């Protein structure tokens, strides 16, 4: 008895999913159009940085990238030296 009820519920869910899939498939052009129009409206509200701000922030990013690269190079060199000494001590 329970299995019949479960089977009916699953069939109803399958039919609902098929209908919702068809509805979603036919509604995607309208949803896409709405998305693009909202995107364009939002992009008009954006305050874009001027060229001076772009150069300044780009410079900060580049300096930070090279500073971190140098830091990690030194740390890698130090850890490599320590690990090499430990392995050499253990293999003697």
């Amino acid at each position: 008895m329970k299995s019949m009820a479960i089977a009916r519920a699953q069939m109803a869910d399958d039919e609902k999913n098929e209908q919702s899939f068809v509805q979603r498939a036919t509604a995607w052009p309208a949803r896409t159009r709405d998305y693009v129009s909202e995107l364009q409206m939002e992009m008009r509200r954006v305050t874009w940085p001027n060229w001076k701000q772009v150069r300044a922030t780009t410079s900060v990013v580049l300096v930070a990238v090279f500073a971190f690269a140098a830091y990690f190079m030194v740390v890698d060199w130090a850890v490599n030296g320590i690990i090499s000494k430990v392995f050499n001590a253990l293999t003697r």
Side-chain angles (χ1 to χ4, degrees):
M1 194 73 165
K2 275 188 173 180
S3 62
M4 290 290 285
I6 293 172
R8 285 185 195 137
Q10 286 177 344
M11 287 177 57
D13 285 343
D14 290 343
E15 288 176 11
K16 186 186 284 186
N17 286 340
E18 285 180 23
Q19 289 174 351
S20 65
F21 174 75
V22 171
Q23 289 171 348
R24 286 189 313 232
T26 57
W28 78 266
R31 290 182 20 224
T32 304
R33 187 173 37 250
D34 291 342
Y35 171 76
V36 170
S37 67
E38 289 176 12
L39 178 67
Q40 288 173 341
M41 190 171 22
E42 190 67 29
M43 292 304 285
R44 285 188 209 112
R45 294 181 192 157
V46 172
T47 303
W48 296 100
N50 60 31
W51 184 241
K52 184 178 179 182
Q53 291 171 328
V54 171
R55 282 192 316 236
T57 54
T58 302
S59 300
V60 168
V61 168
L62 289 175
V63 168
V65 165
F66 283 106
F68 278 111
Y71 169 76
F72 285 119
M73 183 182 73
V74 169
V75 169
D76 183 51
W77 175 75
V79 171
N80 184 27
I82 292 169
I83 291 174
S84 295
K85 286 183 182 182
V86 169
F87 279 147
N88 287 336
L90 294 174
T91 55
R92 286 185 185 177

